[in-house]
Amino acid sequence: TLQSYCFAGYKVLSSPKCEDWLHVGQAGPLEELELTFALKQQNVGRVKDLLELVSDPDSQHYGKYLTLEEVTSLVKPSQLTEKVVLTWLQSHGVKICHTVHTQDFLQCSMTVQVAETLLPGTEFHRYNRDGQTVVRSSSPYSVHDDVSQHLDFVGGVLRFPPKGREVSRGWAGTGRSGSGFHLGVTPATIRTRYNLTAADVGTAANNSQAVAQFLEQFYHPADLAEFMILFARGFKHHTEVERVVGTQGGGKAGMEASLDVEYIMSTGANISTWVFTNPGRHESQEPFLQWMLLLSNMSAVPWVHTISYGDDEDSLSTAYMNRINVEFMKAGLRGISMLFASGDSGAGCRYLKKENNVFRPSFPASSPYVTTVGGTSFKNPFKISYEVTDYISGGGFSNAFAMPDYQVKAVNAYLKDEQALPPKSYFNSSGRAYPDMAALSDNYWIVSNLIPIPWISGTSASTPVVGGILSLINDQRFLKGLPSLGFLNPQLYKLQGTGLFDVTEGCHLGCLDEKVEGKGFCAASSWDPVTGWGTPNYPILLSALLHS
């Protein structure tokens, strides 16, 4: 399932997304905060151009990735920007700041009193939910004009931490026929359906993959070991995570955390795996932002990252999303593949007055600089058959980002069949369209708190599966002396469906109103905004991506 951020500002307490945050009271003037200042970067246009060159298999620069040092020399803020921001902070008595390797973020500690003077309009309050406490401003901030031109945004002020919503249980959903009798999806099911043999495991020494989690929940090493004993006997695999970055808290294991780790490690079997987990060091931190900062501060990070996190585009500022996109571009320049779950709300819906409803895209799923993964179900739930749309599979068209060149031809082909489309008023047909590909997202088995649990569903199941498959392809590329896949989309769209099972049946959820009656987009041959190009046929996809 997609984790959701509440967006504060004036609507914090009236917003249905935030109503489960209980207002505790005003924060004391001497309480400590840690705020993140995103400094304006240089050469953003050049970063975009370079990413296109290193990601395009027809370019002579393909695969010629940059080191963190080279990325730093491109994007690091100008001396003027650094000077203006630091002078502004120091003039307000802010002395403790840490930067990252790329020098484009500053994390600074200060009291509430100082923060409210520094950022006029803010008023920090304490909020509580399920035992988790955060400090956020109940109203928007402003920054002096002389300084604002040197900043993209300030983090830790408005956006609320993720909602700890559990992955959905198949039998609790509607319209899932025969869930109770389904044999369930296990690593063996995944391997059979996507044509992986027992020999398809990692062997390259320099390969690695990662999951990133922003929920206040953790995986248990004992669960992973038990899962592998129960479900991974037929192939070589690791039973332990190589490295945990962040703080693994105590308490019960979370189903989301268990699912991510168990399926990336059983699909991308025998490959070194990292877990980036919620640092949770401070009540004013944003876990997703903390992870982005970590990537800008580590010279060696895994080649594939899978993330099940998202938010409604319309709840985030354009400045914030644009800056996060640059962070994704920076990762792509380094040869890192970023995979995001497309979400579990179909096309989504923003209910407006007079039934002028519109579909509601999700970010970062809608980012042009990540590979977004949708979900499928088996047509026949009693055997490994062909796949159809999983009605929860997130997909649609961005309202914030234009359609990137790499997908124009594929998406326009889909849009030509106007009879099959929802009314044009529901979506922005010129926006970035997603997902890019898909995998099974329905009725998974996991082990959590040492108990095998069936019927776990969501695109946070399909995303680590696709991540593991891309890691296996990276593995074979490394053995042949080729670079990592990096930002996959330009290459994926050039394949035009080669190496993927086309999903052509089924529709996903949309607005519950008279015009669309709960229906969003529908699957079609070739690319569609429910399952992208389809699901992986490993040997053919491997062959296609080894020859690029």
Side-chain angles (χ1 to χ4, degrees):
T1 37
L2 232 56
Q3 306 159 22
S4 194
Y5 264 39
C6 291
F7 185 70
Y10 287 117
K11 55 186 180 181
V12 57
L13 295 176
S14 60
S15 164
K17 289 176 73 176
C18 300
E19 63 191 9
D20 51 353
W21 282 98
L22 185 68
H23 180 246
V24 178
Q26 198 160 349
L30 299 180
E31 285 188 53
E32 282 287 315
L33 299 176
E34 185 168 280
L35 302 184
T36 303
F37 298 85
L39 277 66
K40 275 266 190 277
Q41 296 154 313
Q42 298 193 95
N43 303 310
V44 171
R46 175 88 180 121
V47 168
K48 182 174 179 286
D49 294 343
L50 273 175
L51 179 64
E52 286 177 14
L53 291 173
V54 298
S55 309
D56 179 357
D58 296 331
S59 158
Q60 62 192 41
H61 297 281
Y62 174 69
K64 292 179 179 171
Y65 300 126
L66 276 60
T67 62
L68 183 61
E69 285 71 23
E70 289 166 334
V71 171
T72 299
S73 64
L74 267 178
V75 301
K76 70 176 180 185
S78 68
Q79 286 181 317
L80 178 63
T81 289
E82 286 187 349
K83 187 181 175 186
V84 167
V85 174
L86 283 170
T87 303
W88 171 62
L89 290 167
Q90 286 162 0
S91 71
H92 285 82
V94 178
K95 296 185 180 69
I96 305 167
C97 288
H98 302 281
T99 188
V100 292
H101 196 288
T102 47
Q103 297 172 36
D104 46 3
F105 285 105
L106 275 177
Q107 282 197 295
C108 303
S109 300
M110 66 195 75
T111 62
V112 165
Q113 192 171 19
V114 167
E116 290 178 349
T117 312
L118 191 70
L119 303 169
T122 54
E123 191 175 280
F124 285 88
H125 292 254
R126 179 163 262 103
Y127 299 89
N128 186 284
R129 180 185 63 196
D130 302 334
Q132 183 188 4
T133 306
V134 298
V135 174
R136 290 290 184 273
S137 174
S138 59
S139 52
Y141 65 89
S142 59
V143 174
H144 194 279
D145 285 350
D146 294 346
V147 180
S148 67
Q149 61 186 308
H150 297 284
L151 288 173
D152 285 325
F153 66 85
V154 183
V157 180
L158 294 175
R159 282 172 300 278
F160 274 65
K163 166 70 175 153
R165 203 170 82 214
E166 282 290 7
V167 287
S168 57
R169 299 294 296 269
W171 42 258
T174 53
R176 294 196 186 265
S177 61
S179 290
F181 307 103
H182 192 298
L183 297 172
V185 173
T186 66
T189 319
I190 297 289
R191 290 184 159 261
T192 302
R193 171 59 188 152
Y194 299 140
N195 291 322
L196 292 157
T197 69
D200 291 318
V201 298
T203 55
N206 57 338
N207 200 6
S208 53
Q209 58 192 2
V211 295
Q213 296 160 345
F214 315 110
L215 288 168
E216 282 286 334
Q217 58 158 267
F218 313 98
Y219 87 97
H220 282 184
D223 288 340
L224 176 62
E226 179 70 12
F227 178 85
M228 293 302 190
I229 289 168
L230 288 175
F231 297 118
R233 287 182 167 175
F235 51 90
K236 197 175 179 188
H237 57 267
H238 289 174
T239 56
E240 292 179 359
V241 165
E242 173 87 8
R243 183 173 175 188
V244 175
V245 183
T247 313
Q248 268 274 97
K252 285 172 67 179
M255 287 200 286
E256 170 88 49
S258 306
L259 176 70
D260 288 351
V261 174
E262 287 164 10
Y263 279 89
I264 198 170
M265 288 186 68
S266 56
T267 310
N270 212 42
I271 292 170
S272 165
T273 305
W274 295 20
V275 173
F276 287 82
T277 189
N278 186 344
R281 286 204 318 273
H282 206 284
E283 289 172 345
S284 59
Q285 286 182 341
E286 295 181 45
F288 177 67
L289 204 50
Q290 288 299 111
W291 170 70
M292 297 255 65
L293 266 67
L294 279 172
L295 293 185
S296 277
N297 217 21
M298 300 174 79
S299 55
V301 290
W303 297 109
V304 172
H305 293 248
T306 80
I307 304 105
S308 306
Y309 148 85
D311 199 1
D312 298 327
E313 262 188 3
D314 56 69
S315 72
L316 298 167
S317 73
T318 307
Y320 174 80
M321 292 189 288
N322 282 338
R323 174 55 185 262
I324 297 300
N325 277 343
V326 179
E327 299 309 304
F328 294 146
M329 286 190 244
K330 282 161 60 179
L333 275 182
R334 295 168 66 189
I336 297 164
S337 301
M338 291 279 180
L339 274 66
F340 275 83
S342 70
D344 294 348
S345 307
C349 189
R350 191 176 185 191
Y351 291 98
L352 302 169
K353 287 176 184 169
K354 297 181 182 173
E355 286 252 317
N356 291 324
N357 301 333
V358 289
F359 294 152
R360 196 167 208 173
S362 170
F363 180 83
S366 67
S367 167
Y369 305 105
V370 302
T371 299
T372 304
V373 181
T376 60
S377 308
F378 281 127
K379 172 71 170 175
N380 180 342
F382 307 105
K383 65 177 185 181
I384 297 173
S385 56
Y386 72 95
E387 292 161 83
V388 296
T389 294
D390 186 349
Y391 70 90
I392 61 164
S393 179
F397 294 77
S398 172
N399 291 318
F401 311 113
M403 192 183 296
D405 291 344
Y406 61 73
Q407 67 170 184
V408 168
K409 188 178 169 189
V411 178
N412 283 344
Y414 176 82
L415 291 171
K416 276 200 178 95
D417 186 5
E418 292 191 21
Q419 269 17 78
L421 294 175
K424 284 183 176 173
S425 60
Y426 278 76
F427 66 100
N428 170 28
S429 62
S430 63
R432 147 68 160 148
Y434 69 95
D436 303 301
M437 58 191 298
L440 287 161
S441 57
D442 189 18
N443 286 338
Y444 276 64
W445 279 90
I446 65 167
V447 172
S448 196
N449 300 298
L450 292 178
I451 300 166
I453 302 171
W455 302 315
I456 302 298
S457 299
T459 52
S460 45
S462 51
T463 309
V465 166
V466 171
I469 284 173
L470 295 183
S471 288
L472 290 175
I473 294 171
N474 268 344
D475 210 84
Q476 292 299 308
R477 287 176 64 92
F478 294 155
L479 293 173
K480 283 189 166 1
L482 295 168
S484 63
L485 289 166
F487 175 45
L488 183 66
N489 291 10
Q491 207 166 170
L492 181 66
Y493 282 78
K494 281 193 174 176
L495 292 179
Q496 296 182 23
T498 302
L500 295 145
F501 293 113
D502 196 2
V503 179
T504 59
E505 282 183 38
C507 307
H508 65 183
L509 300 167
C511 294
L512 290 165
D513 61 25
E514 286 182 8
K515 281 188 205 162
V516 296
E517 298 178 333
K519 196 167 97 172
F521 296 98
C522 296
S525 61
S526 294
W527 182 89
D528 59 69
V530 190
T531 60
W533 284 104
T535 63
N537 185 354
Y538 176 71
I540 298 173
L541 187 60
L542 171 66
S543 175
L545 292 174
L546 274 181
H547 291 103
S548 55

